[in-house]
Amino acid sequence: MEPTEDIKAAKDILQNLMKAKKTLRMYPRNNPIYMKTLEDSYARFKNFFDYKDELTLKMGQNSISYDLEQIYYNPEKEDNLALFFFKDGLRELTFKKGLLQEELEDFLKIIAMDFDREVVEDDIVTLMWEKDFQNIQYIVDETFLVDDLDYETKAINIVKEKASDIDGLMKAYIDGFEEEDVKGISIVPLTDEDLQVLSKELEKDLSDKMEKLVTILFEIFYQPEEKGDLEDNLMLLEDTIKFSMRHGDIHTVLNVIMRAKEILEDPLSTEEMKKYMRMLLAYQGTEEMISLFGELLDSSIGIEKDVFNGFVEFLDKNAIAPLVKILGELKTIHARKSVIEVLIFLGRKDIQTLVMKLDDHRWYVVRNIVYILRKIGDKKAIEYLLKTVKHGDTRVRKEVIRALGELGGQEALQTLSECLDDPDVQVRIASARAISNIGSEDAKKIILEKISEKKFKERDFEEKKEFYEVLSRWKDAEVFDFLINILKKKSFFGIIKDYENMACATFCLGLLGNKDALPFLYKFRNTNNKLLREFSHTAIKRIEYGQ
């Protein structure tokens, strides 16, 4: 693909995304226009990926660029796609070859939301993170992404670091390597390249010296001269890993941990030596070390994945409480996501410490704890989640409902049934989906009974459609007959709502795919009611052609 064609194709995709953003907001998922728009968008990406491996869009406040070329500009606030992304901190968006149509649809659904009018608690970046896209990546300006949290401690946060004993020890150690006095040497300005080389040499030099220091300290463990040497040595090793963590040298921290583990596994090690090594390993999970670990995650210093995993593997359950504490203090999404991954790993060892944090006064901490419990999947968490389902924040309630739907059980089902009448529509929909996820006969009965209630048909059409979509999970005769009976009923009062219910029933029949429904659907192909007519056409098409 020539450069000009490349840019033209990127512009074409962007224009199509803007069109799809509006279309998906206007039409239901089963509408032919909705489906055609999605297929058209996906086809454009596939054509682009025939020549390129990825499409990266860079966001400005009023502009979007591809390959240093501005392909979109809009100085207005209304319908400004660039501002739509920019205001939530998104600075770069990359679509990769291998993009699935399902991923693109989920992405389009997110950008199709009307964040100014709809009840949507999360921002764009959070919604994308929750989807965990494999072929859509993004870069975020973290300064825009501090949640609308009630950080009382964030107002004034002055950190005064005291130099540890190891700083003095390191200074004395490095001084021992100084060359002779170099007076009278003329100074030559350094280039940027010189500075980069010098920086790398200094890092390597410091790393070499730290490794020598660690070796010396561990040698003392094997040959202590006095009774107090082991205790003093433990303190020096703790200071060493504290110094290293503070300066982003996690390699040295791992070096110390692995050497300590070797002593523990060495049959020649004395019980006294092993006692101090256990204390050293436990030090990694202390509040002091975890706090430094959080600062490192929040900083611009990257941690290699294998190094990160290596450190986490040596953490024990004593690190859970400090990790939860910093979870509410971290400033960047990347750091919070990393800590959540660690807590999912460690939480399996001690779920009790996690559930005790469900009473935290910060809603965002509670929601993250619920998410962690959901990912762990331990049914022992259900009794604690049942108490949290009445949390004052809707975002927490929705996360609890998702968790209960995945963990299942009769108690969870009963609570989810009660949540179907929650004052918040998003909570009601989340509850219906969670019940569908349980998928039992009792779950089906709850959904059927709710739809059958007289007051249910007074609910908003989109909410009703969600409930009928949930019902399509059970592709059995009972559900089929229930839907056909709805099509047969027609009252003289509230006729608009009747048509909405009938449209929802045709929608669900289309999802069931049962050809026995076709004779009933044919009756409404030419009805005067536009909504019922469109939904009937779509259901027929889906059943006849599998679309």
Side-chain angles (χ1 to χ4, degrees), residues 61-63 72-80 82-83:
Q61 186 168 342
N62 297 311
S63 64
Y72 173 89
Y73 178 74
N74 183 358
E76 304 298 327
K77 289 186 178 180
E78 296 296 324
D79 292 325
N80 187 335
L83 184 61

Side-chain angles (χ1 to χ4, degrees), residues 1-2 5-6 9 44-55 66 97:
M1 185 181 287
E2 296 295 325
E5 294 179 359
D6 195 1
R44 290 169 194 264
F45 274 101
K46 284 193 72 176
N47 291 338
F48 185 88
F49 292 137
D50 285 340
Y51 301 92
K52 292 281 187 177
D53 289 335
E54 61 183 36
L55 169 66
Y66 167 75
K97 192 171 186 175

Side-chain angles (χ1 to χ4, degrees), residues 473-499:
R473 184 201 190 287
W474 293 275
K475 301 183 184 337
D476 57 31
E478 184 181 9
V479 171
F480 180 83
D481 293 341
F482 175 81
L483 296 170
I484 296 299
N485 285 333
I486 290 175
L487 293 181
K488 291 178 178 179
K489 288 180 182 178
K490 192 174 180 181
S491 67
F492 294 102
F493 303 100
I495 194 164
I496 294 176
K497 293 297 181 181
D498 286 340
Y499 277 126

Side-chain angles (χ1 to χ4, degrees), residues 412-426:
L413 190 58
Q414 178 59 38
T415 299
L416 290 172
S417 174
E418 295 169 5
C419 291
L420 293 176
D421 292 315
D422 191 274
D424 188 279
V425 61
Q426 294 298 326

Side-chain angles (χ1 to χ4, degrees), residues 216-237 272-273 276-277:
I216 292 170
L217 292 174
F218 272 98
E219 283 297 324
I220 296 174
F221 264 101
Y222 283 102
Q223 301 175 20
E225 294 183 1
E226 296 181 13
K227 188 175 181 180
D229 284 352
L230 291 179
E231 188 172 340
D232 292 340
N233 224 34
L234 174 66
M235 293 176 62
L236 286 172
L237 281 168
E272 188 74 2
M273 290 168 62
Y276 285 106
M277 290 303 99

Side-chain angles (χ1 to χ4, degrees), residues 515-538:
K515 291 188 177 182
D516 291 341
L518 288 173
F520 298 94
L521 295 171
Y522 289 150
K523 294 179 181 179
F524 302 106
R525 283 187 298 186
N526 299 313
T527 182
N528 291 329
N529 183 269
K530 181 181 177 183
L531 182 67
L532 180 56
R533 185 172 66 249
E534 286 185 357
F535 272 69
S536 297
H537 273 287
T538 302

Side-chain angles (χ1 to χ4, degrees), residues 237-245 253 256 283-284 289:
L237 281 168
E238 288 178 351
D239 283 342
T240 300
I241 59 177
K242 181 167 59 176
F243 174 88
S244 300
M245 184 69 82
V253 177
V256 173
Y283 181 66
Q284 317 307 314
M289 278 297 291

